Amino acid sequence: MDNFVIHGGKQLNGEIRIGGSKNAALPILAATLLTRDRCEVKNVPELRDIRSTFELLNYLGKNCFYGYGDFVAEERVPLKLHAPYDLVRKMRASMLVAGPLLARFKKARFSLPGGCSIGLRPIDIHLEAFKKLGASVTYEKGDVVLSAKKLKAARVKFRFPSVGATENLMMCASLIEGRTVLENCAREPEIADLALALKKMGARIKGEGTVRIEIFGAARLKGLKHSVMPDRIETGTFMLACAAAGGRVRLSGVVPKTVDVLTRHLRQAGIKVSAFKDAIEINSSGSKPRPVNIITRPYPGFPTDLQAPWMAFMTRARGACSVHERIFENRFIHAAEFCRMGADISVQDKTAHIRGVDALLGAPVMASDLRAGAALVIAALAAKGKTLVRRVYHIDRGYEKFEDKLRRLGADIERVKT
Ligand code: EPZ
């Protein structure tokens, strides 16, 4: 397992280009199962989670090629309809193949995705919605089996605006003739990017990005050529890295609107943020920021995926603030790691209370999920001395060439293979 060794105290300066969105690419790659035609997806980031999806699609029978950000899927053999435990356990988003397989073949079998360090990650919202479309749900040896004689367009109301469930049902409904209405949908920008891809394949979709989405499915969908939107979470992670370490950084190839809520919070904390057409510039002295509370919420609220990076930034605030995690039940593991670096954080239920300290001190710490790992790197950049971040494979799941991009901005970081 690789580690990062970081010597803090260096400011970040310069420009980097943000890559394609992991959380937009994953459902769009799954959507290639909806058609036997050739699909080309560009701006796909080189990440472990993308590799896992590549492996799963190949296992199911797709003929996939991937290199230099371009992904091609072709189909020459009948597809398998079972996503096995060994592949699904690597990545929960593997269950995004369920909707396409059910829609096209009226059957899908996949291993129950396990939980992870941030929560149990149940899939009840997905399954309840599939039943509304006419699917039966059974369980066999740890697998979920979906099947249907015929699927029917229906009205589905999610009990919670689940991102994955919204994506799974949009894909499934895209092959069901008639009008399916999804209500209380997630509004994340990745949903709109998936809808754009599905429309290119022949589905008619209205309302993506709002709480109500209408899908007029087609009897058959065609292949697509699509370029994935920029990664708003990578964008926010680098904005917070510069805010914490200090310096002046320009992030190009971004959609500033998708990080509006972070921009507002950074400005409240005293950081200068300038937004341009497809770029964002952060200007930070690296001094102690004003304390600013956050509450994580579904988009357009503060994203849960930037909660840990924000906490890293607030460890040196001029006063006390709080972080309320409203999306996942266990997403504060990183708080204890920050405390190993000298931070003053206490956690009560779903709220972390942070009292700013003068400085963090480098220490050996451990990543517990991809965003917590990135947050530990942010803390290490701003800390005094040397930090060792273990289990970097978590970071590799969601950040392409993370240490290269940081080094290009002046950070003293290197990957040590163990
Ligand atoms: C997506 O996960 C993202 N992953 C997550 O990013 C992100 O944190 C999350 O949305 C919230 O924004 C991808 O897009 C691949 P949810 P997803 O269904 O779809 C509960 C990252 O760091 N829930 O919106 O799994 C669930 O337990 C990852 O890139 C149910 O109870 O999230 C959670 O508490 C981490 N039943 C809440 O809803 C269900 O059937 C939000 O989950 C589904 C979800």
Side-chain angles (χ1 to χ4, degrees), residues 115-349:
C116 63
S117 62
I118 63 177
L120 288 172
R121 313 292 295 275
I123 59 168
D124 58 302
I125 299 173
H126 300 244
L127 301 182
E128 285 312 305
F130 285 134
K131 285 181 190 167
K132 287 278 177 64
L133 298 183
S136 70
V137 178
T138 54
Y139 299 88
E140 283 172 47
K141 303 186 188 103
D143 287 346
V144 181
V145 182
L146 303 177
S147 60
K149 285 193 180 54
K150 182 172 171 32
L151 292 169
K152 60 188 188 327
R155 178 182 163 279
V156 175
K157 183 164 185 164
F158 298 120
R159 71 171 172 80
F160 177 87
S162 155
V163 172
T166 303
E167 292 165 343
N168 235 338
L169 272 291
M170 260 188 7
M171 291 189 282
C172 189
S174 292
L175 263 182
I176 301 175
E177 293 188 273
R179 183 180 75 157
T180 294
V181 177
L182 305 179
E183 292 180 333
N184 195 26
C185 296
R187 296 164 56 193
E188 275 68 3
E190 293 78 26
I191 306 276
D193 206 29
L194 173 61
L196 181 56
L198 292 170
K199 285 194 257 193
K200 289 177 181 176
M201 298 172 76
R204 281 191 299 127
I205 299 174
K206 287 196 300 187
E208 63 273 19
T210 73
V211 294
R212 187 176 190 276
I213 301 176
E214 290 187 6
I215 302 108
F216 298 83
R220 184 181 175 285
L221 293 174
K222 57 185 190 293
L224 88 153
K225 286 189 179 180
H226 184 78
S227 186
V228 172
M229 66 175 275
D231 193 315
R232 63 187 171 97
I233 305 300
E234 183 189 19
T235 304
T237 303
F238 278 97
M239 289 168 74
L240 283 160
C242 178
R248 182 172 186 159
V249 168
R250 185 180 177 87
L251 303 174
S252 59
V254 306
V255 179
K257 183 180 176 323
T258 61
V259 288
D260 261 353
V261 69
L262 175 63
T263 297
R264 285 202 308 275
H265 282 75
L266 281 172
R267 286 173 176 158
Q268 283 172 34
I271 303 296
K272 191 171 179 305
V273 183
S274 310
F276 304 91
K277 182 171 170 296
D278 63 353
I280 275 188
E281 205 164 274
I282 310 295
N283 207 333
S284 165
S285 64
S287 62
K288 299 166 75 169
R290 285 195 287 270
V292 176
N293 301 332
I294 63 162
I295 301 174
T296 64
R297 288 194 175 95
Y299 193 90
F302 195 99
T304 176
D305 293 345
L306 289 177
Q307 180 257 99
W310 178 264
M311 191 185 285
F313 175 47
M314 283 289 115
T315 53
R316 293 172 51 243
R318 295 196 297 266
C321 64
S322 59
V323 169
H324 301 261
E325 174 55 56
R326 293 280 176 82
I327 303 294
F328 289 104
E329 67 266 28
N330 184 35
R331 203 169 197 176
F332 283 139
I333 297 178
H334 42 278
E337 296 303 300
F338 290 139
C339 291
R340 290 175 48 73
M341 301 173 74
D344 180 354
I345 305 171
S346 60
V347 172
Q348 274 86 33
D349 193 22

Side-chain angles (χ1 to χ4, degrees), residues 54-126:
F54 177 93
E55 277 174 39
L56 177 55
L57 291 176
N58 271 327
Y59 171 85
L60 294 173
K62 281 287 185 182
N63 209 6
C64 301
F65 311 90
Y66 177 55
Y68 304 104
D70 292 353
F71 184 95
V72 174
E74 295 180 339
E75 190 173 313
R76 300 200 189 107
V77 296
L79 297 185
K80 294 189 187 83
L81 306 182
H82 178 191
Y85 174 69
D86 278 350
L87 292 175
V88 173
R89 71 181 175 80
K90 286 185 195 170
M91 182 188 63
R92 185 182 182 290
S94 305
M95 75 155 299
L96 289 172
V97 304
L101 291 176
L102 175 65
R104 193 165 155 211
F105 302 102
K106 308 296 179 285
K107 183 156 175 129
R109 178 173 178 149
F110 55 96
S111 172
L112 260 175
C116 63
S117 62
I118 63 177
L120 288 172
R121 313 292 295 275
I123 59 168
D124 58 302
I125 299 173
H126 300 244

